[in-house]
Each structure stands twice: as C-alpha cells, then as structure tokens.
C-alpha cells in the first residue's frame, strides 16, 4: 500500500517492474492511498505519483513525486490445516 500527501483532485500512480523499461501508469485514484493488488510477492517495484487535474480538454499535472522502491513480502500465515 502506498500513501502520500498532496492536494489534488486526482492522482496518477506509475509503476515499474524489474523487467519493464520505464514507469507505466497503473491507476488514477481520488484518495491519497493506493493498494497495488497486482504486485507479486518477492518482486521489486518502483512507484511514482503525480497529481492531476482535468480542465475541459486539458490536463494539468504536478511535479512527480520521488520514486519509491519496494519489494512486497508475504508475511501472512498459511491457512489452518483441515482434516
């Protein structure tokens, strides 16, 4: 889960996986948090967020955030055995 501060009506989240050549848009959200449900445990990712505002047919964007690198780790206990 990513969290950031800012004051924009909409945020664009960009992500780069280890086999991808550059950051790519993965979501546009109205909140200051994003949970990447497509990230895989044990694989490194880089993220960046930009505030955006749509004005008629134009698009205004903020300066991009610093890039944050992280590798999701599976710390969840396995299911209770049955039988």
């Amino acid at each position: 889960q990513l969290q950031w501060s800012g004051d924009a009506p909409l945020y664009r989240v960009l992500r780069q996986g280890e086999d991808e050549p550059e950051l790519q848009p993965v979501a546009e959200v109205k909140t200051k948090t994003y949970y990447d449900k497509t990230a895989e445990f044990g694989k490194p990712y880089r993220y960046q967020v930009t505030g955006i505002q749509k004005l008629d047919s134009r698009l205004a964007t903020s300066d991009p955030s610093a890039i944050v690198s992280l590798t999701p780790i599976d710390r969840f206990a396995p299911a209770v055995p049955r039988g």
Side-chain angles (χ1 to χ4, degrees):
Q1 180 175 338
L2 302 172
Q3 293 182 320
W4 58 88
S5 61
D7 189 24
L10 194 62
Y11 298 94
R12 180 173 291 145
V13 180
L14 298 102
R15 181 184 82 178
Q16 180 181 16
E18 63 183 339
D19 297 329
E20 298 172 335
E22 59 187 40
L23 291 159
Q24 298 291 325
V26 291
E28 288 187 1
V29 295
K30 293 181 179 180
T31 61
K32 297 176 186 177
T33 61
Y34 174 69
Y35 181 75
D36 189 352
K37 295 179 182 179
T38 63
E40 296 180 44
F41 292 120
K43 292 189 176 183
Y45 296 94
R46 294 167 21 115
Y47 293 91
Q48 187 176 55
V49 178
T50 303
I52 59 175
Q53 183 170 2
K54 295 177 181 179
L55 306 168
D56 300 322
S57 62
R58 297 177 300 172
L59 186 69
T61 62
S62 70
D63 289 334
S65 70
I67 294 175
V68 174
S69 299
L70 63 91
T71 302
I73 299 171
D74 184 358
R75 294 187 180 161
F76 302 97
V80 176
R82 293 183 171 191

